[in-house]
Amino acid sequence: MGNTKERRSLLVSTVMVLFFFSTHYHQAMSCPEQPTNCTDQDRKLLEFPLNLEYLEAEFFLFGALGFGLDKVAPNLTMGGPSPIGAQKAKLDPLTRDIVLQFAWQEVGHLRAIKKTVKGFARPLLDLSIKSFAKVMDDAFGRKLVPPFNPYANSYNYLIASYLVPYVGLTGYVGANPKLQCPASRKLVAGLLGVESGQDAVIRTILYARATHIVHPYGITVAAFTDRISCLRNKLGKMGVKDEGLVVLKAMGAEGQVAGNVLVGDELSLAFDRTPEEILRIVYGSGNERVPGGFYPKGADGEIAKSYLV
């Protein structure tokens, strides 16, 4: 008799344990993490990077293939206008291979963000020779003759690419501590990892050619990166958050090296930027309220639009 009671008691306990785990398992499976349910701030911070992801996707797609999102993933544009002046670059086979990899990665980034938040249509982007030439003129404080053409050859294209992923990755570093939802932070960490990798590849290729003279300007590759970084610091208005390929030894990692293939602060940690700083840089105006540069009509999303009122 005692054995029967014990068996019944054991059976009841087992059923209760199985019921408990089954209930919680189904709750976990039916209630996946939804970043947009965490905070409205998460949604805004996750939407803002779409501006730069659109820019990167179009620049890399056109550079490698001669066409962009309108052909490879028109649904991601949400009906936004086609970019101005983008074209296929004259790239050597290795550079084209790398750029094409970047291009498809950016398409994936757009998909990842739009799976999480609704997002917005592709903003008007100016990827013309004139747009890039103005950035280089501003960086050197004079007009380069002939105007800098990012599509002319692999050197020019890689120097122009130096302009792109780094700004985005500093934005992801800045956004991460402001996010409330674990799924939001996971998404940003994933995006940051690949953007950082792209920037590292670009910097490494350029570093290997740091002393190469860019024709016909008589300026080294390293000097181009230094001037671009100085310009971004100036436009961002928040001190030094950008450094070229070669720095004073005292500014290098642990004050031991002048080579600067990866940029970081005094502890070799990535710099961070706010959306406001990023807008100042990509607009080329130094003012988050004054559109221009790559975004002639301004960036989109609630954060960017709040400054255009």
Side-chain angles (χ1 to χ4, degrees), residues 46 49 53 109 112-113 172 186-196:
L46 291 175
E53 298 291 356
H109 288 180
I113 296 174
Y172 285 132
K186 180 180 179 181
L187 172 60
V188 165
L191 293 164
L192 172 59
V194 175
E195 293 291 334
S196 299

Side-chain angles (χ1 to χ4, degrees), residues 95-129:
T95 302
R96 182 184 181 278
D97 184 4
I98 292 170
V99 171
L100 185 59
Q101 292 179 49
F102 289 174
W104 289 114
Q105 289 164 6
E106 295 307 328
V107 173
H109 288 180
L110 289 170
R111 292 191 197 282
I113 296 174
K114 286 171 179 281
K115 282 175 65 177
T116 305
V117 294
K118 182 179 179 181
F120 48 79
R122 174 183 54 194
L124 180 63
L125 300 168
D126 187 349
L127 300 178
S128 65
I129 294 172

